[in-house]
Amino acid sequence: MAIHFDQSNQLFHLCTPNTSYVLRLLRGAYLLHEYWGPRLREYRVVEREPSILTTGFSPSPFEDDKSITFDRLPQEYPGYGTSDYRHPAYQVELGNGATATELEYVSHRIYAGKPSLEGLPSTYVESDDEAQTLEIELQDSVAGLAVVLFYTVFRDHDAIARSAKLRNVGSDNMNVLRAASMSVDLGQAEFDLLQLPGSWARERNVERRKLATGSHIVESRRGASSHQQNPFVALLSPGADEETGDAYGFSLVYSGSFAACAEVDQFRSARVSIGLNPFDFKWRLEPGESFQTPEAVMVYSSAGLGGMSRVYHRLYRSRLCRGEYRDRTRPVLVNNWEGTYFDFDSGKIMAIAEEAGRLGIELFVLDDGWFGQRDDDSSSLGDWFVNRRKLPDGLDALANGVNGLELQFGLWFEPEMVSVDSELYREHPDWCLHVPGRRRTEGRNQLILDLSREEVCDYLIAIVSGVLSSAPISYVKWDMNRHMTEIGSAALPPERQRETAHRYMLGLYRVLETLTSRHSGVLFESCSGGGGRFDPGMLYYMPQTWTSDNSDAVSRLKIQYGTSVVYPISTMGAHVSAVPNHQVHRVTSLAMRGDVAMSGNFGYELDLTELGDAEKAEIKEQIARYKSLRGLVQFGDLYRLKSPFEGNETAWMVVSPDRTEAYVAYFRVLAEPHMPTGMLHLRGLDDASDYVVEGEGIVLGGDQLHRSGLPIPPGQGDFFSATWVLRVVR
Ligand code: DGJ
């Protein structure tokens, strides 16, 4: 890891263990992108001959060299209005209404460590020798705009963290209209674009297509990172697969509306940017004020998509997630939601918990319906006091009762919301996002509290903290079940209304920072109708997320596979639920449901009291097996072997960092006649070591397991799964 500035050639060379990222100052002023890829010993500028028709109808700002236009230069943080017609990284509107700007280099500094981003989640280091940071200050003296670009390279991760800070150094107000966290011009466009779109109950499916001329925008305008998109895109060289080829990843540490843009221009160069969504965004900067963008994390890997994913996994697991549970194995839980929905009382809860204890489950989670008058989803959000009709002895007694069964007790909240039918709404009707004179559109019968308001955030901190202190609560499921409409705040002046959505996120982050540090022993899991906010921003506060409301084993293959493109297994909640499945009504085997859920933070989400003895015995075995494997599964290196997006079979494996142990999981959705005898080619093992395949009584070399493979059992019937544990024998 190192950052060098070569004064004579005006070059910045940023190195991670295996990658280089090079910038150059043109004419001592304009910050250009030169190179990003495998690590180079040294980078020397090679001037390229201008080709015929160089400027492609784009004007040249340089009197002395008309062959140069900004439209053709590979730029690091491009503006708009002085000859670059591509998507700009930033745009400001000045007091005089002008928007044309042009940034020039002012200064830079290089230092050990990584600064935190005020009020925003970000990757971090635990000591300064883990990272180096480059700050480059640029200015437009006409506009009175200063921009500082931050680049951090890590000693132990092939990742670069970027963000930008815009400052009004003029004497008039200005509006920030867009401020991406990063932008890069790659100089060529022979790439596939990979994104993770979806919907509720079908999150993060993998979509890949050839990049074409024009702009492809991956975005959310929903006030949340959303089920519909994820704040991530990758560019892959043609033919790149799980093991080979170039993969460039762009991930945004943010939980609100975002936009990632991949644009191919007339010169067949690709520009990629990611950041806050400029749509419906405007931020007033008064003289002296600054605006900090969220952080983008960029990863280049020459080992294909799998190599890129593993960099994200290790970085996000160890230097994005925080808190006591970051490095701790996660408890096996049972959640009562699909078992009871709103229809429970303390007797029913205790009966499930008793059964859970007998089966070896470690945590009971009481889901929605324990508060206010809540018997369905039409009321009570905001009234975070216990429902005495259902739980007559209160939360404390219930939690203690559950603890008495050797189980921890966890609780569901949806603090960001308010039901119209609630005491909170009757008392504070202006505490929700709304626009004067307009209908307040409800989603799941609820409105969204205005977290851009300080007093609303303070209220939430006090009320949630009060509940957490009132009983032995070891786990919180933090839910959020609708997207924003009528995005306005009663507390902001007209010229700041379009700041509301981002101010909401800053408010939410303050609430989460305060609560998670005040209740540091609590394991927090985020949720948004399943995986509607499965993003790095939330993972900074909560080390795991409920991956999807769809717990059908077949659907989950795709959901968990797609999620793993960026996010580590230790962040994915995965539960076995009843059949017919409540979301898609499919009947799958208990074995397959268990095996799919065991590739995540394992749990159950059904009424355990309704199970027969055979099912209970099988579940008891699943739990014991998971406990013996969870350190490996949750914290090992993931290798994806067969994609559910390409056929009937799915497989992945997890290898311990020292490569002495591995867990392999294989799934076949539908039975087929005359299936060829398949071999599963394993990855990530040590070629020079021998591994015993537990339960099979065979010892095979790591090289053979890789090249020749492990025989896939023929299996019978639909929804077949098989798993193996491998341990090194020498
Ligand atoms: C949506 C969540 O994703 C579910 O798991 C459950 O907690 C419900 N909300 C409760 O309303």
Side-chain angles (χ1 to χ4, degrees), residues 207-218:
E207 268 186 27
R208 178 174 175 167
R209 82 187 56 151
K210 193 172 161 32
L211 210 54
T213 306
S215 300
H216 188 99
I217 296 179
V218 170

Side-chain angles (χ1 to χ4, degrees), residues 200 227 335 337-338 341-342 367-369 374 377 381 412-414 444 446 477 479-481 527-531 546 548-549 575 605:
W200 174 77
H227 311 80
N335 177 305
W337 177 242
E338 288 197 17
Y341 293 106
F342 295 100
D367 211 278
D368 196 353
R374 190 142 162 113
D377 63 17
L381 292 172
W412 179 96
F413 285 93
E414 195 178 355
R444 207 194 187 204
Q446 61 203 48
K477 179 176 173 186
D479 207 347
M480 192 285 271
N481 282 303
C527 173
S528 174
W546 176 225
S548 177
D549 272 349
H575 303 169
E605 185 147 343

Side-chain angles (χ1 to χ4, degrees), residues 541-597:
Y541 304 98
M542 308 189 180
Q544 58 189 62
T545 301
W546 176 225
T547 312
S548 177
D549 272 349
N550 187 344
S551 53
D552 165 60
V554 175
S555 309
R556 274 292 183 126
L557 292 175
K558 287 185 175 165
I559 294 168
Q560 291 175 204
Y561 189 98
T563 302
S564 81
V565 169
V566 191
Y567 306 103
I569 284 186
S570 63
T571 63
M572 286 188 223
H575 303 169
V576 173
S577 59
V579 288
N581 171 268
H582 292 195
Q583 293 78 39
V584 298
H585 303 277
R586 199 181 341 256
V587 178
T588 52
S589 64
L590 180 54
M592 183 184 186
R593 279 176 280 152
D595 287 340
V596 173

Side-chain angles (χ1 to χ4, degrees), residues 114-122 162-163 292-295:
K114 179 177 193 297
S116 53
L117 274 62
E118 206 189 322
L120 284 164
S122 64
R162 281 185 64 178
S163 71
Q292 171 66 57
T293 73
E295 177 169 289

